[in-house]
Structure formats: C-alpha cells, structure tokens
Amino acid sequence: MTELNKLALKILENGKGILAADESTGTMTKRLQSVKIVSTAENRILFRETLFSSKEMKECIGGVILYDETIKQNASNGKNISKFISDIGSIAGIKVDTGAKQLAGSPDEKITEGLDGLRERLKEYSKLGAKFTKWRGVYNISDKYPSKLSIDTNAHALARYAALVQECNMVPIVEPEVLMDGDHSADDCFEKTSAVIKKCFEELILHKVDLSGVILKPNMILAGNDSKNQITNEETAKLTVKCLKESVPNEVPGIAFLSGGQTELQATENLNLINKFNDTNFIMSYSYGRALQQSALKHWAKDVKDIQGTQKVFDHRARMCTLAAQGKWSKELENN
Ligand code: 13P
C-alpha cells in the first residue's frame, strides 16, 4: 500500500467525507451577499472557523478543501488554519486550479486553467500544511456539448495536474463536473458523464498517475434542472453506481461526490441510496460544498455571534452525510 493510497483511504474512512470550503473570494462573496453579510476577509474566516471548530468535524469530516486566501489565514487562537484543522483530527487540502475560462475553439464551453507555475505553488501549499488538492473541470450538456475538444482538453489538464500533485506527495482530487443546468434527460447525463470520466482515466494512465492515490469527485446522474422528465432518487442511485462501475478503474480507492446544486436533503438521500446499491469496491462518500454549508450559513447570517447554534446546524448535516456514506441514513434520523 503506498503512502498516497493510505492518505486517500484515511480521508474517507468510516463514512467520513470532505467539506468543500474552497469557494473563491468571488463565489464566497455571492454566498455571503445572498444572506446579507458583507464579504470581508474577517467574515469569511469567521464563518469558516465556526464550521472547522464544530463537534462533528472529528468523526465526520476527513478532509477540508481550502482556498488560497484561507490556507494563509490564522484561526482566532493564532494557529495557522491547516494546523488548526489537523489538531482537530481532520486533514487540510487546497484548491489549486485558477478557475474555468472560455475554451478557445468552442467559446460556449470552459477549460480549467492553473497549470503554469503549479509545481512551485504545490511546494508552497505543502509547506503550509496541505496534504491533498482539488482541480475542477466543468462541462455543460446540450445536443452538441460537451464537445470532444472540451472532453479531451479538460482530461489532459486534470491528468497533468494530478501527476504534478503526486510528484509533490499529495493526493489529487480529480473533479470532472458535468453540470445539472439544462433540460437534458438523465440518460444524456449518464452517457456524457461516462464519456467524460473514461477520458479522464485514459489521460491519468497516460500521465502515469498512481490511481490508488487519487480520489474521484464526480457528479451524480440526474436529469437537467429544467427537464420535465425527472427521475426518482432510486434511479439516480442505480444509474450513478452503474456509470462509475463501468468508467472507473478498480485501483481507485474512493469516490467523493459533489452536490452540484442539489438540496441538502436530496444530496444526502441520493448518497444513502448509492451506498445501498454500491456493489463495487469503491468507497462512495461526499465532498459537498453547498449541501453541507447552506443551512449553517443561513443560521449564522441571522446572528453571527451564535457560534453554537450555527455549529449545531452544521453538525447535523455532517452527521447525516456520514450516515448516508455508510448507507445508514433515514428520514427519522434526519428529522430527530
Ligand atoms: P458543491 O457541493 O456545492 O457542488 O461544491 C462542491 C465543489 O467543491 C465544487 O467544486
């Protein structure tokens, strides 16, 4: 067992999942403005530290993905944020892509940037305490998209990123996100997500990435937001497991889903069903941003001094997601 494999397993052991708290300052500003909080560096770390110091972090959250600003900030006790997270028993990670930009040659699609100077940035993040990383490729679905150009170029970038990350002894989260936006069917989502993931692994293998030291972060299989033909949660779970079984090599230790605009409840219930139907060797857990933070953020915004109340809301979400990652979640537990 390699060190990277051990680390990937440790992040996702015993139903633990990942807290994606790596919103860029622009995205975090939108989230804070939506609940009428001014987006200052102090407010951003205040909310995040409130989550990081909550009770269920130790048992439920195996890793926290940070943003560049946050990994350079200190907690209120003066400790560097990654040290603060590791003292709790979790592991700090870092988003290293620099965002999705218009793809030359197919301007309605995106290519994720950030490879230039990445080796040097990784060394810096490693010194700051990061043990794993994230890079998100993003794809939209329509009749003609994602194009071969978008599938190939994003897979190439994800593979070059993952190879550099492993060279620096960190675990890369490989995130190809096929978006929920649009009126496409779940079958379209299945077909296109499968093509995207298969191409990613083809490139990862070409770039000699150790697949046992990678965490895949995919979307679930869902009909588009505007589709009239929504499918049941059972169907989502079955199609998601089928897609991953057919597209992901066996060496990969773990899969941690993004929530991608699903409600907190939907993301939890779907993950629970996925684990009920999971007949693979992959750990299937979560790496949620919105589906872990939304209610906590709303609560906090009503009274930013109510740290305990905010933590209670977050702790419940984290516990429910961890139960779902073990296939042990139920509506009764949710409502208790
Ligand atoms: P959501 O769970 O809000 O989709 O965020 C996860 C993430 O990290 C997207 O890159």
Side-chain angles (χ1 to χ4, degrees), residues 20 22 134 136 175 177 217 258-260 287-290:
D22 61 323
K134 178 187 118 173
R136 171 177 175 260
E175 180 179 4
E177 176 175 7
K217 176 164 172 166
L258 56 94
S259 61
S287 175
Y288 292 164
R290 285 162 288 179

Side-chain angles (χ1 to χ4, degrees), residues 39 52 59 61 77-78 107 148 179 217 226-227 243-244 246 273 300 302 312 314 318 326 334:
S39 180
F52 302 164
E59 281 187 21
I61 305 296
N77 63 7
K148 182 171 175 352
L179 294 171
K217 176 164 172 166
D226 300 328
S227 166
C243 167
L244 296 168
E246 291 172 2
L273 287 166
W300 180 73
K302 280 190 239 145
K312 208 171 153 207
F314 174 73
Q326 298 166 307
E334 178 69 45

Side-chain angles (χ1 to χ4, degrees), residues 73-306:
Q73 284 174 314
N74 288 338
S76 48
N77 63 7
K79 272 189 208 168
N80 156 276
I81 272 296
S82 2
K83 177 86 175 88
F84 186 83
I85 289 169
S86 64
D87 283 353
I88 289 161
S90 187
I91 299 172
I94 180 80
K95 184 230 296 286
V96 301
D97 67 66
T98 54
K101 309 280 157 60
Q102 195 178 63
L103 175 61
S106 185
D108 292 335
E109 297 187 284
K110 299 232 161 100
I111 178 72
T112 302
E113 295 189 345
L115 288 170
D116 285 355
L118 181 57
R119 183 180 269 130
E120 288 69 34
R121 285 196 294 126
L122 289 171
K123 284 186 193 144
E124 189 194 342
Y125 288 136
S126 176
K127 275 197 199 131
L128 286 167
K131 302 268 186 274
F132 71 99
T133 64
K134 178 187 118 173
W135 179 292
R136 171 177 175 260
V138 58
Y139 312 80
N140 46 313
I141 296 187
S142 74
D143 296 349
K144 45 184 183 167
Y145 300 138
S147 64
K148 182 171 175 352
L149 180 63
S150 144
I151 294 176
D152 290 1
T153 49
N154 275 296
H156 177 81
L158 276 161
R160 285 194 58 204
Y161 140 81
L164 283 164
V165 170
Q166 289 193 338
E167 184 190 87
C168 199
N169 298 315
M170 296 195 271
V171 167
I173 294 184
V174 171
E175 180 179 4
E177 176 175 7
V178 180
L179 294 171
M180 278 171 79
D181 305 337
D183 60 2
H184 54 269
S185 66
D187 285 346
D188 269 345
C189 179
F190 178 92
E191 188 197 314
K192 294 184 173 173
T193 302
S194 302
V196 161
I197 294 178
K198 282 179 184 159
K199 188 68 196 178
C200 283
F201 281 105
E202 194 183 311
E203 286 288 326
L204 288 166
I205 291 165
L206 183 68
H207 286 79
K208 308 204 181 331
V209 171
D210 169 11
L211 299 185
S212 76
V214 162
I215 294 174
L216 177 71
K217 176 164 172 166
N219 51 284
M220 295 179 190
I221 305 299
L222 298 157
N225 275 335
D226 300 328
S227 166
K228 292 196 185 74
N229 301 312
Q230 294 297 324
I231 59 170
T232 64
N233 292 343
E234 278 79 8
E235 286 167 321
T236 282
K238 283 183 185 160
L239 284 173
T240 303
V241 172
K242 183 172 188 299
C243 167
L244 296 168
K245 205 170 163 176
E246 291 172 2
S247 316
V248 183
N250 280 331
E251 301 95 293
V252 174
I255 293 172
F257 294 96
L258 56 94
S259 61
Q262 297 181 71
T263 64
E264 290 176 337
L265 196 59
Q266 194 186 7
T268 311
E269 192 162 357
N270 283 339
L271 179 63
N272 189 57
L273 287 166
I274 285 171
N275 276 289
K276 289 211 183 289
F277 297 127
N278 183 8
D279 56 352
T280 71
N281 291 325
F282 309 127
I283 296 175
M284 302 238 193
S285 189
Y286 59 92
S287 175
Y288 292 164
R290 285 162 288 179
L292 275 172
Q293 299 183 59
Q294 229 155 36
S295 296
L297 180 63
K298 277 192 195 141
H299 186 97
W300 180 73
K302 280 190 239 145
D303 176 6
V304 297
K305 295 211 176 70
D306 185 13

